[in-house]
Structures are given as C-alpha cells and as structure tokens.
Amino acid sequence: MTTTTNEKKTLVEVKHLVKYFPVRAGLLQRTVAHVQAVDDVSFNIKEGETVGMVGESGCGKTTIGRTMLRLVEPTSGEVIVDGKDVFKMRAPQLKEMRRNMQIIFQDPYASLDPRMPIGESVMEGLNIHKMGTKQERYELMLKTLKKVGLEEYHSRRYPHEFSGGQRQRIGIARALALQPKFIVCDEPVSALDVSIQSQVLNILKDLQKEFGLTYLFIAHNLSVVEHISDRVAVMYLGKMVELATREDLYREPLHPYTRALMSAIPIPDPSIKRERIILKGDVPSPLNPPKGCRFHTRCPIAVSQCSQEEPQFKEVKPNHWVACWLAE
C-alpha cells in the first residue's frame, strides 16, 4: 500500500503490522487463545505530518503506537523509520534509533518517577545517550522546559507538585529533549480540562512547526483530532477501516463506522440538529473476532457478503482508503 505524494519524504512506514497477545491458562500456563489486538495494519507518515488515529477503547490504537517503538514486541510485520527496519535491530542499534523515536504517554504522572525531580527526568534520556557534557545537558534540559512553558525553578520540583496540564508539559519536554524526528502522542490530552487541552495542543503544533516533528496522534476526541491532524486513520477491532486527509474524512466519511463516529461530534450551534447513528450491540471480543468484515455485526447497512468475506483496504478515491464492500 502506498499513500505517499511527491511533496514530502516518507519518514515512517508500517507494513502488515500484527500483534497478538497470548492468553495462558492451566497449571503449565499453556497458550489457549490469542487476543488479536492489531491484525494486518499498513500505513505511512510523511516528514512533518500528523496522522491522527481514532477508534473505540480496545481497538488497538495504543498497541500500534507502542509496537512501532518496540515497547511491545510485534508478532509480525515491518516498521521502517528513516529507511531502517526497527524490528530487525539489535539492542545497540535500537538504542541509537530511540533518539529519533519518542512517546508522550497518556498518564504523565504514571510515566514520571515520583522520587526524581522533573529536571532529572527530562535529563535522563540525555544522560543515557551521553549527549554533550554534563553542563550542556543541564542547559538543554532548561531550554526544553522553557519551550513547553515551564521555568528553571520547576526543574527542582517533584511530579506531585504539578497540575495535570503541567505534568503533560513535562512529558512533552521529556520526549522533545533528545530532539527526535518522530513522536507517538498516546492520548496526550484525554485526561485534561478543555482549556488545558488547547494549550497542550498549541504547544505540540508550535513545536512541530519549529522542529519539523512528525506525529502519530492517538485520541478518542474527534474534534481534537480534526484540530491537529493532516490525515486521520480510523481503527475498529484491530483493523484499520478508513484512512484519508482530514478534509476528506470529515466532509465525506465512507465507512459506516466512521459515519457513526462523526455523528457523535457535537455541533456548537443549538439550532442545528445532527442525526445520530446509534450502533446496536457491543464490540465483539478480539479473542474471537467475527468472520468477514469485523464491523458487520453492528453495521446498519451490512449485506450477506460482509459476513462471508473480509473487505480489502483499498484506495477508492485519491488518497482515501477504506475497507468496506459498499464504499464504492
């Protein structure tokens, strides 16, 4: 699959990514089943681009982000960053590559060491990679904190002394300190108030413009994704069901699941009524996903073919990919 244009170089390529988690049971802890968290996902991200990824809880968004960085080992597939296959790297190569790949976690408090001042947390990566002298690392840490709106005196404080929004800024500073090319933003604003969300999103956009950063932005909030993304990918039960530019996806969603998600976005005008598409039933278990299209059990327009054959993820319009028998 190719979705590149001639405008920008492709920085990240994900090819047929699969991640199954074994389910073990019994005295000998034998594998009795697999949770199909991510099943054959392919996409790419161009330099300086933000690809938003949306979907219900448990659809595989976070697993994709963590597997791409090898925080979780893949079952199969390829992730090529800057021309190098991350999954084939040995420890020394992977350590070097991790300078170019960072992650902003959903819960900044859980990702910070409560016994370590935040200045030391931000400098930790610089120390591991031995970037510059001790004084240069300290100065870079202060400079990075200022980039995200924190001051020098903050570097001596501990995580519990900060608000949620400030802790998320610290998480961004930690990811930024190593001057990476690619950052996975794993729901970085989902736990924040709306006013703080806008501040953090603006910081991310400003940093992207200043440093030419490339983002995979994972979120539930479709309004947030529309604000920050260039392209948007929609996930359902471990599969990517639609991928398009932000304008195309929000103007004309082609997959029935995407349409249902879009119908839930509130319109800030009480005189306009949007017709809600209410999906019936529950999301099937990833332990035993349905045959054919995984969405057919809840799809309001499903036909018999949907329950028999799995639709291919294909380009039905320029730069608009969808996995649905009825999309055309």
Side-chain angles (χ1 to χ4, degrees):
M1 162 193 163
T2 15
T3 57
T4 54
T5 68
N6 295 325
E7 296 168 5
K8 292 179 183 176
K9 171 189 164 189
T10 297
L11 180 70
V12 181
E13 287 183 86
V14 178
K15 299 179 180 179
H16 307 292
L17 182 63
V18 175
K19 177 58 188 176
Y20 290 176
F21 291 98
V23 177
R24 294 187 171 88
L27 190 62
L28 299 176
Q29 289 293 288
R30 290 193 174 118
T31 300
V32 294
H34 286 91
V35 175
Q36 299 179 25
V38 179
D39 193 5
D40 196 14
V41 168
S42 299
F43 64 100
N44 58 36
I45 311 174
K46 295 186 280 289
E47 279 187 342
E49 183 186 32
T50 300
V51 170
M53 188 168 280
V54 298
E56 292 169 279
S57 294
C59 69
K61 306 184 300 293
T62 295
T63 304
I64 286 176
R66 293 187 177 216
T67 308
M68 286 170 71
L69 303 185
R70 267 184 74 180
L71 297 177
V72 174
E73 288 296 324
T75 301
S76 65
E78 294 177 272
V79 170
I80 296 165
V81 178
D82 211 10
K84 298 169 186 171
D85 191 340
V86 176
F87 296 163
K88 290 181 180 174
M89 290 180 178
R90 296 185 181 275
Q93 296 171 296
L94 186 60
K95 179 183 174 183
E96 186 59 33
M97 177 56 87
R98 285 226 164 104
R99 276 190 57 180
N100 291 322
M101 309 185 303
Q102 290 293 305
I103 184 168
I104 301 167
F105 292 99
Q106 179 178 1
D107 183 356
Y109 191 61
S111 64
L112 294 168
D113 188 335
R115 300 162 299 176
M116 189 183 285
I118 64 106
E120 288 185 29
S121 286
V122 173
M123 274 200 300
E124 194 172 19
L126 301 173
N127 293 333
I128 289 169
H129 289 277
K130 299 181 172 61
M131 292 177 66
T133 64
K134 189 174 182 181
Q135 183 60 30
E136 286 171 340
R137 293 196 285 267
Y138 181 76
E139 288 170 5
L140 181 57
M141 176 269 291
L142 294 180
K143 183 180 173 185
T144 307
L145 286 179
K146 284 181 181 173
K147 289 282 182 194
V148 299
L150 297 172
E151 298 298 331
E152 181 176 350
Y153 65 86
H154 286 126
S155 67
R156 297 183 289 276
R157 293 185 178 177
Y158 290 84
H160 72 273
E161 298 179 79
F162 294 93
S163 68
Q166 287 176 316
R167 284 200 288 262
Q168 197 57 277
R169 289 172 190 232
I170 296 162
I172 294 169
R174 273 203 339 177
L176 192 67
L178 286 167
Q179 300 166 352
K181 295 179 181 178
F182 172 56
I183 299 178
V184 173
C185 306
D186 184 12
E187 302 195 31
V189 296
S190 62
L192 306 177
D193 294 335
V194 174
S195 59
I196 306 300
Q197 281 186 14
S198 62
Q199 291 175 21
V200 171
L201 289 173
N202 289 334
I203 286 170
L204 288 170
K205 290 188 85 170
D206 291 343
L207 292 171
Q208 183 175 42
K209 195 177 290 183
E210 185 175 348
F211 297 106
L213 297 171
T214 302
Y215 294 143
L216 174 65
F217 191 92
I218 297 165
H220 283 102
N221 190 324
L222 287 155
S223 301
V224 167
V225 170
E226 184 180 16
H227 175 70
I228 199 169
S229 303
D230 299 303
R231 287 188 297 148
V232 181
V234 182
M235 293 286 299
Y236 183 80
L237 203 63
K239 291 275 190 185
M240 190 174 285
V241 296
E242 191 160 1
L243 172 65
T245 62
R246 173 186 60 200
E247 294 81 8
D248 284 352
L249 194 83
Y250 282 78
R251 184 180 66 247
E252 190 185 5
L254 297 180
H255 197 282
Y257 177 62
T258 312
R259 288 183 201 144
L261 290 180
M262 296 297 175
S263 76
I265 302 174
I267 301 172
D269 184 345
S271 64
I272 300 174
K273 298 292 182 187
R274 174 176 271 160
E275 187 181 343
R276 280 294 309 273
I277 300 172
I278 308 296
L279 297 177
K280 296 178 180 177
D282 296 322
V283 182
S285 169
L287 274 168
N288 186 26
K291 186 184 173 186
C293 173
R294 294 192 175 186
F295 184 60
H296 84 265
T297 57
R298 304 172 73 200
C299 182
I301 59 169
V303 295
S304 59
Q305 187 181 17
C306 300
S307 61
Q308 301 301 319
E309 299 177 58
E310 184 179 328
Q312 286 207 338
F313 192 61
K314 60 184 179 180
E315 192 173 20
V316 295
K317 292 183 178 180
N319 291 319
H320 197 141
W321 297 73
V322 66
C324 180
W325 289 115
L326 305 176
E328 296 176 80

